[in-house]
Amino acid sequence: MLGLALAGPNLAHGADHTDSPAATAEPLADIADLYAWMSADAADLNLIMTVNPFAGATTAFGDATQYVFHVGSRADFGATTEDDTRVVCQFHDTDAIECWVLADNGTVADYVQGDPSNPAGLVSSSGDLRVYAGLRNDPFFFNLDGYLRVVDTVRGAGLPTDEGNCPTVDSGTSGLLVAQLTTDADDSAATDDFGSANVLALVVQVDKSLVTSGGPVLAAWGSTHMAN
């Protein structure tokens, strides 16, 4: 599972392409990334969950896994009360899906079913929920060479750590690490090691009114479950 928070049009995401044995044993349930952002007019929340890292050309969603976007809404940052909305999606075969928007009290706020493979999206009768699913190029950029150099640099530098055991760096060291992350070993532009990799993407757009019952500050995370 992955989590993030947002309050505005900026994109947020988390990445996890190398997971535990239990997750990798069931690739269709293995979450690679979660993306969430508001539309330009802040009317809709866009959510993407990618699964099955390094999917093959013929890989498709199946009916053994349920996919859930969890969206919490609060009145402001630091608020202790939160409403929880879920977008739950279940495939019946590779070209048939059902998705429910479940409000904080468990009632169904919206629903859509059908073939989600059209890039324009499968739209609910209300127009407040849109869903797409299919094989896509992995959108996450990862420079493995740069990452490994940064790991070696941090481990070899003996950097002091804070209370959370995170290394603390001065401006010079920070600049070096950034340079390593943005270049390959020969100092050429960084290579995207996921550039030719595929994932399965589940894309949801939901009207903001369906996910903001607790307030305008949203937090989102995703989970996968064995289908009943």
Side-chain angles (χ1 to χ4, degrees):
M1 63 183 66
L2 296 171
L4 51 88
L6 65 155
N10 292 334
L11 170 68
H13 62 261
D16 187 5
H17 286 67
T18 304
D19 221 320
S20 67
T24 54
E26 180 47 68
L28 293 178
D30 185 2
I31 298 175
D33 295 286
L34 182 74
Y35 301 86
W37 72 99
M38 301 301 297
S39 60
D41 60 1
D44 299 299
L45 173 63
N46 301 307
L47 298 162
I48 300 177
M49 183 189 300
T50 62
V51 299
N52 203 337
F54 311 105
T58 61
T59 304
F61 283 101
D63 61 4
T65 305
Q66 185 180 83
Y67 303 89
V68 184
F69 295 96
H70 305 261
V71 183
S73 56
R74 300 186 181 194
D76 51 51
F77 286 105
T80 57
T81 59
E82 178 180 84
D83 280 4
D84 296 302
T85 303
R86 289 173 293 149
V87 181
V88 180
C89 293
Q90 170 73 54
F91 289 84
H92 297 294
D93 56 47
T94 57
D95 59 0
I97 194 172
E98 287 185 284
C99 291
W100 299 260
V101 179
L102 302 179
D104 183 69
N105 62 6
T107 60
V108 177
D110 209 344
Y111 171 79
V112 69
Q113 65 172 335
D115 184 350
S117 63
N118 186 334
L122 174 67
V123 183
S124 65
S125 58
S126 70
D128 291 339
L129 176 63
R130 184 186 300 267
V131 178
Y132 164 80
L135 184 72
R136 309 299 291 180
N137 178 254
D138 193 335
F140 190 80
F141 186 102
F142 185 67
N143 174 19
L144 178 60
D145 180 76
Y147 169 77
L148 293 176
R149 287 192 294 153
V150 165
V151 170
D152 288 343
T153 299
V154 170
R155 287 176 174 172
L159 298 173
T161 58
D162 61 19
E163 294 179 356
N165 203 33
C166 294
T168 58
V169 298
D170 56 33
S171 59
T173 305
S174 175
L176 171 64
L177 298 179
V178 170
Q180 290 178 337
L181 283 173
T182 55
T183 59
D184 284 338
D186 60 359
D187 293 325
S188 61
T191 299
D192 180 11
D193 290 285
F194 292 161
S196 60
N198 292 326
V199 289
L200 290 176
L202 177 59
V203 183
V204 170
Q205 184 179 74
V206 59
D207 188 277
K208 180 176 65 176
S209 64
L210 299 181
V211 295
T212 53
S213 60
V217 178
L218 304 180
W221 60 284
S223 63
T224 56
H225 311 265
M226 292 183 61
N228 294 327

